[in-house]
């Protein structure tokens, strides 16, 4: 966890930084917003910013947004009244932290932002084999390709590799290739010089330089434009990058980890992914099995999430009874661990008493979860005729629109998850959603925004 403190270190903010460091955070400090932006542009990255409530928070949030820097902002202040705290939240702060600092509160905020990315929870033998291989290759600097369905925990595995590597004390930087528009991804990766394009108001170091000495995760690399793949290949081969608008190459020393929910060999055959880049990336491939093939992990993860969300909601620990566990193990979990986590979080909030029963295991729309293949088959038989009748007379485009929007709603707005379920690329999904939005259709907001962090 890298914490950037914006404001004077005198008094209570200094005490807060000491508490954060005692909890394992790496803390840096600047006096004002201009210095903070200069630090971030220079590649001195941060996972969270803690800013004095008396500084212009709205200006900071606006500047971060204009330069596409995703950084959760936490306001803090001494003896601050409720109005100042509320104004800080309205200005874009994700949370307000009162000072003098409470060690446990600071620890909770740090944990919420880090989202336990370094913690692997597993017990199933199939997953143990994958983790064993990961531990074997972690100390090397070899590139690794992590393959698996959406929601299986590819980013968590990448973080696990980094923390068990010889680069663990260096930065771990993640770039979601599916979440950044094509025309901006090159700048995000390699940085840019001032004036290189409209909106480039200052030189900015890219993720390659920010990760120098450490690990760079290219999440969902299959969504990267094939022309940019050529520049990525050169950067990996020569360990040199060119900033957009730059005049001389910049040397970098990083380990590359890439993830994909698609079979990249098939993408090569479809000519949407470079074969030479695939060879560079998959020195070692880790394939994470879907949750439905890890029955032991369904049990272990369910109990882990029940404990986690009981604590985070200030509740006594909710136990899972046999009827609930039977329903959990019967579910196909097409959204894998992410879907299971959401289901358990919902069950913790909905259960009556201290025990989660089968009645609390519900789908996002409030309906019961599938209870096995027999139940699914019966459901298809009962509803098949009605569903077919409902489609007759409708235009294909309208049916497609309803399917896409309903799937997106089911996935809480997660574009990558929805695209995976629909069997289309994230780019195709975005194009469809833009058309719907332009026609005035209400499109579900992108998933990933929470109290502490916003990730598209």
């Amino acid at each position: 966890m890298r914490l950037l403190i914006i404001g004077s270190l005198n008094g209570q903010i200094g005490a807060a930084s000491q508490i954060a460091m005692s909890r394992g955070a790496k803390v840096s400090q600047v006096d004002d917003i201009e210095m903070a932006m200069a630090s971030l542009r220079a590649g001195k990255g941060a996972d969270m910013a803690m800013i004095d409530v008396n500084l212009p928070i709205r200006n900071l949030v606006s500047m971060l947004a204009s330069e596409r820097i995703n950084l959760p902002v936490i306001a803090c202040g001494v003896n601050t009244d409720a109005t100042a705290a509320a104004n800080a939240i309205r200005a874009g702060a994700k949370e307000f932290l009162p000072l003098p600092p409470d060690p446990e509160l600071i620890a909770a905020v740090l944990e919420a932002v880090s989202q336990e990315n370094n913690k692997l929870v597993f017990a199933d033998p199939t997953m143990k084999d994958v983790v064993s291989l990961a531990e074997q290759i972690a100390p090397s600097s070899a590139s690794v390709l992590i393959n698996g369905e959406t929601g299986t925990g590819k980013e968590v595995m990448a973080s696990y590799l980094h923390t068990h590597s010889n680069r663990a004390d260096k930065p771990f930087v993640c770039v979601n290739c599916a979440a950044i528009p094509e025309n901006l991804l090159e700048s995000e990766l390699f940085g840019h010089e001032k004036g290189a394009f409209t909106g480039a108001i200052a030189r900015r170091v890219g993720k390659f330089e920010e990760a120098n000495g450490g690990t760079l995760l290219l999440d969902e690399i299959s969504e990267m434009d094939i022309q940019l793949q050529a520049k990525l290949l050169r950067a990996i081969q020569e360990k040199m990058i060119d900033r957009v608008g730059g005049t001389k190459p910049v040397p970098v020393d990083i380990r590359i980890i890439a993830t994909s929910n698609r079979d990249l060999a098939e993408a090569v055959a479809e000519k949407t992914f470079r074969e030479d880049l695939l060879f560079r990336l998959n020195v070692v491939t880790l394939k994470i099995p879907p949750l439905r093939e890890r029955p032991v992990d369904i049990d272990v993860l369910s109990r882990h999430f029940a404990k986690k969300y009981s604590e985070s909601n200030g509740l006594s620990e909710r136990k899972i009874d046999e009827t609930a566990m039977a329903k959990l193990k019967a579910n196909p979990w097409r959204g894998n661990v992410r879907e299971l986590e959401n289901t358990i979080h919902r069950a913790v909030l909905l259960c009556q008493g201290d025990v989660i029963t089968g009645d609390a295991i519900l789908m996002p729309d409030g309906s019961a979860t599938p209870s096995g293949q027999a139940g699914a088959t019966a459901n298809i038989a009962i509803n098949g005729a009605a569903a077919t009748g409902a489609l007759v007379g409708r235009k294909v485009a309208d049916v497609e629109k309803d399917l896409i929007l309903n799937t997106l709603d089911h996935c809480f707005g997660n574009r990558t998850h929805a695209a995976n379920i629909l069997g289309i690329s994230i780019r195709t999904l975005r194009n469809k959603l833009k058309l719907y939005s332009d026609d005035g259709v209400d499109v579900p907001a992108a998933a990933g925004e929470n109290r502490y962090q916003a990730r598209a």
Side-chain angles (χ1 to χ4, degrees), residues 121-122 124 126-127 152-153 288-299 301 336-337:
V121 178
F122 65 94
D124 198 275
T126 57
M127 193 63 184
T152 49
I288 302 182
L291 189 56
R292 59 183 172 276
E293 296 177 7
R294 297 153 47 189
V296 178
D297 282 353
I298 294 176
D299 186 307
L301 285 164
N336 292 291
V337 178

Side-chain angles (χ1 to χ4, degrees), residues 217-234:
L217 170 61
L218 300 174
D219 199 18
E220 301 301 350
I221 194 171
S222 57
E223 302 302 326
M224 182 182 291
D225 181 76
I226 197 161
Q227 292 184 343
L228 184 55
Q229 291 174 27
K231 297 182 180 180
L232 174 62
L233 177 63
R234 176 180 175 273

